[in-house]
Structure formats: structure tokens, C-alpha cells
Amino acid sequence: MKKVLSCLLLILPFLGFGQKYAFQSYSTEEGLPQTQVTAFCEDDDGYLWVGTLGGLAKFNGKDFTTFSPKDGLLNNRIQTLFLDSGRLWVGHDGGISCLEKNTFKSIALPGSEKSRNVTKILRYKGRIIVCAERGGGLFELVGNKLMPVALPVEEGFSERSVKSIRAAAIVGEYLYLATRLGILKTKDLKTFVYEEGIEKGDLGSFYGVEVNEKEIFFVSYNNGIFRKNIRTGKILHHPKSEKLNAILGCELDNKGILWLYSHSSNHVLRFSTTKKFDQISEASGLPEKSEVDCIYSDLSGNIWIGLRGKGMFRFPGEQFKCYDRSNGFKSDLFLSGFEGKNGAFYFGSFDAGLIKRERDGSTHEIKVGSLTVWAAQANVDGANWFGTGAGLVSLDANDEMTTYTEEDGVPGFKVSAFYKVGPREMYIGGNAGISRYKNGVLTKLHDVDSLEVGTVRGFVMIDDVLVFATNLGLFQFKDRKISTYRNVESVTYSITKDKFRNIWFGTEEGLYRIRENKIEQVELRSDPGSNFINFINERDGRLYVGSNNGLFVVSDLNSNEPTIRRFGLSEGVINLETNLNSGFFDSKGNFWFGTASGLVCFDVHLEEKKREVPKIQLRSILLNYQNFNFGDYSADLDEDGFPRSLNLPYSKNNLIFELDGISLANHNGLCYQFLLEGLNEKWSPLSTNPVITFTSLPAGEYLLRMRSVDMDGQESKELVIPFTIRPAFYKTWWFIALSALIFGGLVLLFFRFRLKRINEANEKEKLEFKSRLLSLEQQSMNASMNRHFVFNSLNSIQYFINTQDRISANKYLTNFAKLIRKNLDTATVDGNMITLEEELERLELYLSLESMRFKDRFDYEISAKGVETDSILIPAMILQPFVENSIIHGILPNQEKKGKISLTVEEENGYLLLAVEDNGIGVNQSITKKVDMEGDHRSKGMEITSKRIDLIQKISNNDISLVGPYEVYNDDRSIKGTRVLLKIPLNNLEN
């Protein structure tokens, strides 16, 4: 053990010790279009619109979407922004632009001068009012034009001065205007008066007007702040001071704090509800030589600061204050610390040894033999104790140092943990086990024969049993022996006990609780960083848990589901990665802990800033992986142009929804979920991917619900889109019913067909017999015709014999014999079919016989040109009755002229045409005289032939048709004779 006098301490020069805030900065590297930020505005969807001198940007908390004159803006030089009923108004140098339904429209100020900045746009009594400086004045939007509003000109002052309007606000029925000369007010845009009680002229150059429920604030450039009580009308004045000087603008936040900024002083002033001014400058975290151009308070209480040439910053609030090299320390890595009795703070660092901060704010370094101070313990046996990388150190009230080594009973060369038991007693942990300090005596409790425990990180006492956490797990010191505890072998960095006697310990894999002798994990978040636990501190029923993803505060410690609250970059923590066992509480209850970028003080007494609830918007919808016209499949579109519902055909069943999560302060932890009702029953797992893809969706009605979830588990309002995918026609009820009907019909037809086939089989024999019967009937009719012809021929022979014309009788008898022979041969032919050549020969014999019988009363002619008569089969004697009719009923009744019979045979269009034509008396006269000419003989030829044709069609299915007999006329419409035509298909006649 060695003692070193305080005179050997290394005293550093005085360093200022000031608090710092973890501003979040955004510049062109993050997508900002330009670094000169001039205006902010938050819209109803939660987007932050940012105006710069290089264009307009829409910010969702992570990404910027930029707009320029190509999108319809008047120009890139933007000065102010205003949201009115969902429409964004943009004030430029020289005019305004308006965004409505994703389209910008621009309107220029009247006149040729282009350098008049639009400083304010607002709606007053239903009218859009535009304010401009540099002699611009006041304008009212009428239609698509900006019409100037006349302003009063004070005697002795220029018109340009009164027309330089820097700000405006509406209070009740009055419109207040901050001008270069003073505060003007009006209630009708016709009569303007200056506010009484506020100076005009050189001291009346005003740059801001803000109002809350009680007061109106008038901010001047060089005459301080005027506050007017709305109820009483009383005006209070805060005059110009060193800080309150050259003010160029102001913003009143939702907590009633007035923020003021100036170009010349490089700081921001806050005028709080306690009527005190507080300064935020470079020492507080603003960049060096910052010129603030605008300040804006969004709906969640975030303060946004726009700088001239250095982008934009978000002020996280005052709950977390940061300390690092920039404000008085020699290190950014702090591993331990405590507040001493006299109010001084001792901080152990990783690379700069021990740093002491006095009550006056000065800091100095104390050499303790090592640059790394792993652990610190205040006030044990009248001294402050520190565990370093080179052993154990104590400092008395005068900071006189005493060092201890392993020879003195220190548990290893590295001391990493303390646990105070009483005023003069504590346990010490190191890389070689544990030791006890009591009443000035160090005793090593871990000898060479003990169980290997690794490096000790923390202690807790449970029923007189010492339990400690190491990199090898949990161990206990009981009955002077060291053994494992609860079989925990994970790398454990911290341990503590709550008022419910639950034991909490942190590992590389998560936070665990031993409750009722059961070990259970309490998951802080699902990501690995949140489950890497670096320290656990307990106070007032709450756990303060440091992780690699920020600070967690756990309450309801005995509940099955404890309440978990996370603090990260958005709340002001300078770095999400905390340091091992670096947490401690000061005398005021503030919680201090180290991070990878500096020391953080958490003021647990301050009211927590309102938690920003995330929001969600649709960015795009793709159908079958392509953009499409929403109107083709939706009858109704929302104000952003997206469909409220979709009705899609079955072939359009691949959908992609691209989402945009909005969280201005905590976008990095944003996740997305969806539930497709009609297909799923549970929400999808949280995902950082904002794209939802559905492929090959079956037909049906769906309801897609989408939401964003931040790291605290807060859910956005759901985005809901119903859509329907119509079924394919072959899946519709009518198609299925029709198919069933057709199938049933086919089954019925099949059975009917089978029944028909059975009936046909039964009827086959009957049909064969009928066919034979028809054939016999054909032969019988043919025989009947032959008998008729024989009777007529015998009469002719008898005639020649009676007239003793032997030559004619012999010739006739010879021809008759030939004809009878042909007829007899025909009667026995199968099917009664003969060649056309044979039929024409028989008709030649018949006509010659009839010509002889009637003594050359007629001539005849047979023509068959181009017809192969020897290869065509026709029914036997099919034409004989028509030739007979021509002779008897057509030619013989006409005694005045010699008759002529023409028999013509032709082929035409696949038919054989057999035509018989005479030059007789015609059909009508023939019918009249028919009975007298026949005498006692009734001709059956035509009747028999008609029956033959019917029977032939039934037997052979030939399409035989008979045309006529019909009369033929001369050119003068006199009767020329009679014609009959028989048409027989050739495909059934070829031999």
C-alpha cells in the first residue's frame, strides 16, 4: 500500500464545464437540396416541409423528396411556408406557389421588381393574405392574381418602410403586421392603425409577431420584446440587452416558450414561461458561427432550427444533457462515477484516468496510475475508491491517494466492481475473483483452489448470500465457499435487486429476471443491440438499463409484462451504445451514464416530451409489377390520387404496395406491419422493409390493413385499402352451373345414345326385311310398267296385222322382241339398276316402235354428248313413262303439226340431268283431254314412277329430284310444249 500526497496531483488548467445537447443535424449529404434553410411547415400527413434557397423538400424523418421549378414552383428561393386546409402555400422571392393534389401552381407579385421576399402567408377572414418586405407590402389573392392592399404612409417616413412587412399574426378579428416602422393592425383590410404603446420609427423595426391564449409578443430588431395582455390590453416591455439584441425572428412553441434568433450573436434565446431568458449557443451543441434563419415547433414539440449555410438541426429537448471533450473533458469515454459529499463529481474514463468536476464547474485530472478507471465507489471508511486497470486506489477528503495491489489483498491487477455493505465495509471484484474490505482490512475471498469465476462486474446481496456477475456467469459466496448460481453460464455484465426481491441481471443476450426462483427473459426489443445489456441500476421502483441501442427505463417490475420505455437519439442521447457499468445517480436523483460519444445526464424529473406517434402513407401501388391508371380499376380516388378501393380481374393478381413511414424524430427505428383480411388472420412480423408484395392472389374480397410501428411499440393509424379480385370466368357460378348442365346433358345423351344403339341392334333385322320388301315392291312396279308397255305394243302389232302391213309388222315385231328381252333382263338385275347406255337403247327401241305405231306422227332425238353412258347406272325404265306421256298426251292430241320428242342427257354440277321435251299441246290442255284420249285404258306410268323415286330414295338414300312436267313457252308466250327433268347425283351412279 502506498500513499501519495495531494501536492503530487496533476492539476489541469481551469476548463469551462457547460452542458451540451445532442442536436440531430441534416445537410445535403442526407438529401437536403441546399444548406440555407429558411422555412419549415408540418402538413396533415406528418411530413415536414423544408424551404431553402435552393428548392423545396418534403422530409419523413429520414429521406428528403425535393421539388424545383421543374415541378411548378415559381423559383428555388423560398422564404416562408403555410399550410391551409390541406394545401401548402410557398412564399418565394417575387411571388407564391401553391401545392394542391400533387401539382404546384405559381403566381408572381405584380410589378417588375423581383427582389421582394414573401415573408408570410395566412388566411384572414376567408381570404389568402400575402406579406412581403423590401417595399413589397400587403397583397390579397383574388382569383389567380395578387392584388395590392393600400397601407397608410406616415408623414416623415417613406412608403417603402411601411411596405416592408416581416411577420403577421391573427388575434381575434384583428390582423397584426410587423413592419419596419412599427406594428400595424386592421380588422377589415381597409383601415390600418399603429398599435398604441409601441414605439414607431427607428426603434420600431419589428421582425416577429406571435400569439398564445393570453399574450401577443411583438419582437423588434433593436428594442427588445413587447408583451400585450389580450384581456387587459396592458403592454410590458423587455428592453434591449447584450443577449436580446438584433433579433431577426421568433417562434412560439406548444409549451409557451418563445424562441428568438439573431444572425449577429450566433445563438438562440428562449424566453420561458418563468419570464427568463436562456441561451443556446455553440457550447450547447450548435455548430460554430451559426447564423439562424428560422425556428419551427412541430406538432410533437420538436424544435427545428434552420441555419444559413449549415443545414437544419433538431433540438431534442432538455431531458438529456451531454458532456465530452468539447465542453471541458479530456475524454469522451466514461466508465464510472459518483457525486461526492461536497458536491464534486468524480468520473472514471477509459483513456484519460480520473476526472474531477468541482462545484464551480472547473475540471481537472487526477493521476491514479492508470488511464482506465473501471469502477468507482463513494464514501467507504471515509474515502472514495476507484478500480483501475492497475489495481485499487482510494482518495481521502483532500484527494490524498492510497494505492493497493494484489499483495494487499486486491482481487487481481484489474479492479472492476464495488458493492458497499456498510459505512466501513464493501466487496471488491476484479479479474481474479472477489475480496472484502472491512474496517481498513482487505481480505481476498477467492484463492487459487477456488472455482474459476472470471472478471467480476457486479454484486447483489440476497439473504446474506453474496451473488456476483462475471463474464463466466453468475456465482455466489455462501458459507465461505464460491459456487455457481442458478446454473447461469452466460456472459453477465450487471446485476441488481428490486424492492420485490426480484434479481435482475444483464447478459450479451438479453435482460433476465429471477422471480420466485424462476429465470425468465424480459425482452426490451427484438433487435440484438437492445438485448446487449451493459448496466442495470435500480431506483424508486424503476430499472435504468443501458444497452447497445440506447437507455431503457423499466417499471412495474413485478408484473408479468413490465412497462418498458426507450430513450435514444430522438430524445437527446448522444450515442446509442452505452458503456459497461457506467450508470449512477447524483444527489438530485439525476441518472448519469457513459456512452461511446460522451457522458450523459438524464434529468428524470423533467416532464417527458410528448411521444411522437408514427404515421404512414402510400407511396405507390404496382399492378403486375407495373404502374397503372388507378381510375381503370377504381371509381373513387382520395385527395392524394390513390384509389379508395380496387376491383381487379383475375389476371391482375400481383400487387405491390410501397409505403412511406413518417417519424420526424425517430425514423431509424421504424418498422412496418400488414394484415390481409381474407387471406390471413394475424398481423405480419415487424419488418424494416416498407414494401408489401402479393403474388398470385386467389380470387376473393380482401381488406389490406397497414401500419408503422416505432421502437417504443407505438402504432400509427392504420392505412386501409379494400380490393377485390374477380374470379376467372370458368370459376364463376354461372359457368359452373352451365358446365354442370352441359355435363348432365352429355351424360343423358350418352345413355340415350346407348339406348338408341341397343334399339338399332334390335331393329336391324327388321330394316333388312323392309329393304328386301321395298326391293320386291320395286320389281313389282317395274313388272307393272312392263305389262302396260306390252299391252300397248301388242295393240300396235295387231294394228299392223289387221292392216296387212307385213313388213311393218315384222319390223315392229322384231324390235318389240328386243325390247321385251331387255325388259325381262332388267327385271332380274340386282337393285334394278342398269347402265345409262342400256336405258337409252331401250328408249330408242320404244320410240321407234311408237313412231311406227302412230305412222310417223312425230320425230324423236336422243342426245348424250360428253356423258360416259356405259359407266353410269340409273334405275331401269325411269324415263319411259315421261316419254310415253309426251307421245300420248302431248303430241297425238295435236293433229295440226308433226310432233317432236327430244331426250337430252347432260352432266352439270355433280348431277346427271335427264330431260324429256315435246312440242305438244302443253300440260293444261293435256289434263283436259286426257280422259277422252285414254278411252278404256288408264295410264299408271307417272304414278308408278313417282312411287319408284320415293322407294329408291328410301333404299339408296339418293337425292333424286323430279322437276315438272311443266309447260314451255315461245317468245310470244304461246305454248311451245312440255318439259320434264330428272336430276340424279352422279356420286351414286358411277359403276
Side-chain angles (χ1 to χ4, degrees), residues 12-42:
L12 296 181
F14 175 84
L15 293 173
F17 186 85
Q19 64 192 27
K20 176 181 174 182
Y21 301 104
F23 286 90
Q24 286 184 284
S25 63
Y26 303 89
S27 187
T28 53
E29 295 179 358
E30 288 75 31
L32 196 65
Q34 209 256 2
T35 57
Q36 298 184 83
V37 178
T38 55
F40 297 100
C41 182
E42 184 179 5

Side-chain angles (χ1 to χ4, degrees), residues 138-139 147-153 159 162-163 177 184 186 189-192:
L138 189 66
F139 300 86
M147 306 301 294
V149 176
L151 297 174
V153 179
E159 182 180 1
V162 74
K163 285 187 176 182
L177 305 175
L184 275 177
T186 180
L189 295 179
K190 295 180 180 178
T191 303
F192 293 83

Side-chain angles (χ1 to χ4, degrees), residues 96-307:
I96 63 173
S97 299
C98 177
L99 174 63
E100 186 175 9
K101 295 182 178 180
N102 299 319
T103 303
F104 282 101
K105 297 180 180 179
S106 58
I107 304 172
L109 290 174
S112 58
E113 188 176 350
K114 302 296 184 182
S115 62
R116 294 166 293 172
N117 295 343
V118 172
T119 55
K120 190 73 174 181
I121 305 173
L122 44 77
R123 180 176 289 275
Y124 174 63
K125 294 186 176 181
R127 294 179 281 184
I128 293 295
I129 303 301
V130 176
C131 306
E133 64 172 344
R134 297 180 184 174
L138 189 66
F139 300 86
E140 178 185 353
L141 181 64
V142 180
N144 290 322
K145 293 184 178 181
L146 289 170
M147 306 301 294
V149 176
L151 297 174
V153 179
E154 291 282 316
E155 184 177 353
F157 298 102
S158 67
E159 182 180 1
R160 183 179 180 85
S161 296
V162 74
K163 285 187 176 182
S164 291
I165 303 174
R166 282 77 174 266
I170 299 171
V171 184
E173 62 176 350
Y174 281 96
L175 171 64
Y176 284 84
L177 305 175
T179 75
R180 186 174 176 181
L181 289 182
I183 300 297
L184 275 177
K185 65 178 182 181
T186 180
K187 58 181 178 180
D188 56 8
L189 295 179
K190 295 180 180 178
T191 303
F192 293 83
V193 296
Y194 284 95
E195 180 70 21
E196 296 181 358
I198 297 178
E199 289 90 340
K200 293 185 294 184
D202 294 338
L203 295 179
S205 184
F206 285 85
Y207 276 86
V209 181
E210 291 290 334
V211 60
N212 59 25
E213 296 178 353
K214 297 179 179 180
E215 292 180 303
I216 311 174
F217 296 87
F218 305 107
V219 178
S220 74
Y221 179 78
N222 54 5
N223 198 16
I225 300 174
F226 294 86
R227 294 163 43 211
K228 179 179 179 180
N229 187 293
I230 295 177
R231 184 177 61 85
T232 63
K234 183 179 179 181
I235 296 178
L236 297 178
H237 183 212
H238 298 271
K240 173 183 175 180
S241 64
E242 182 180 355
K243 292 181 179 179
L244 191 60
N245 183 34
I247 305 300
L248 292 177
C250 61
E251 171 76 7
L252 191 65
D253 68 17
N254 52 19
K255 292 183 179 180
I257 298 174
L258 184 68
W259 296 72
L260 306 116
Y261 56 90
S262 166
H263 286 176
S264 59
S265 56
N266 296 328
H267 64 248
V268 173
L269 286 179
R270 293 184 300 175
F271 183 61
S272 66
T273 53
T274 59
K275 314 310 176 189
K276 294 182 179 180
F277 289 99
D278 180 25
Q279 179 175 296
I280 298 177
S281 60
E282 296 173 10
S284 304
L286 282 176
E288 186 179 358
K289 297 181 180 179
S290 302
E291 293 187 6
V292 179
D293 253 353
C294 60
I295 297 179
Y296 179 74
S297 174
D298 66 24
L299 298 177
S300 298
N302 295 306
I303 300 298
W304 299 88
I305 301 174
L307 303 181

